[in-house]
Amino acid sequence: EVQLVESGGGLVQAGGSLILSCAASGFIFDDYAIGWFRQAPGKEREGVSCISSDGTTYYAESVKGRFTISWDNAKNTVYLQMNNLKPEDTAVYYCAARTVYFCSAYVRDFGSWGQGTQVTVSS
């Protein structure tokens, strides 16, 4: 059974940084891609970033140059380093896994989800 557990959310001032972690278990990393999504109140869930088992990464335009995704194989953990945070980054952040080794930005392509972690950026 695939399990994903996010951590690292919190309250930060605009311009600050946070690191989100997604601890994964129950699958072979070579055959999966892990994505980060976010959902703000009243809005649809959107793709933020993704990393595949061959190291390919994807970033939404809104976070390019500010967010960095990485994968620690030894710890079975995917990280999302978020710098220069803006109030519009406020959302619940979810990590998700898909059973193919290349990335996608679409919610429908991911079958396993974590419980989410709240990120709040104050102005």
Side-chain angles (χ1 to χ4, degrees):
E1 180 185 0
V2 176
Q3 291 189 328
L4 303 167
V5 179
E6 303 98 332
S7 61
L11 173 64
V12 64
Q13 288 187 333
S17 298
L18 284 174
I19 301 176
L20 304 184
S21 299
C22 174
S25 62
F27 59 92
I28 301 172
F29 268 48
D30 285 349
D31 299 328
Y32 274 72
I34 302 292
W36 281 100
F37 292 79
R38 66 186 180 187
Q39 188 166 18
K43 295 188 176 181
E44 292 188 354
R45 194 169 297 188
E46 63 175 359
V48 174
S49 184
C50 179
I51 187 166
S52 65
S53 56
D54 67 354
T56 303
T57 57
Y58 157 83
Y59 296 96
E61 285 297 324
S62 59
V63 306
K64 277 183 180 179
R66 301 188 298 122
F67 290 12
T68 303
I69 192 169
S70 61
W71 198 332
D72 186 332
N73 285 332
K75 297 182 178 180
N76 288 354
T77 299
V78 174
Y79 301 98
L80 187 67
Q81 171 75 51
M82 305 187 296
N83 297 328
N84 190 22
L85 282 161
K86 304 176 180 180
E88 51 264 43
D89 294 318
T90 295
V92 178
Y93 283 70
Y94 301 87
C95 68
R98 65 183 308 225
T99 58
V100 292
Y101 66 89
F102 52 91
C103 277
S104 169
Y106 300 104
V107 172
R108 64 176 182 264
D109 290 334
F110 290 80
S112 300
W113 293 82
Q115 82 289 352
T117 185
Q118 176 71 48
V119 171
T120 303
V121 185
S122 63
S123 57

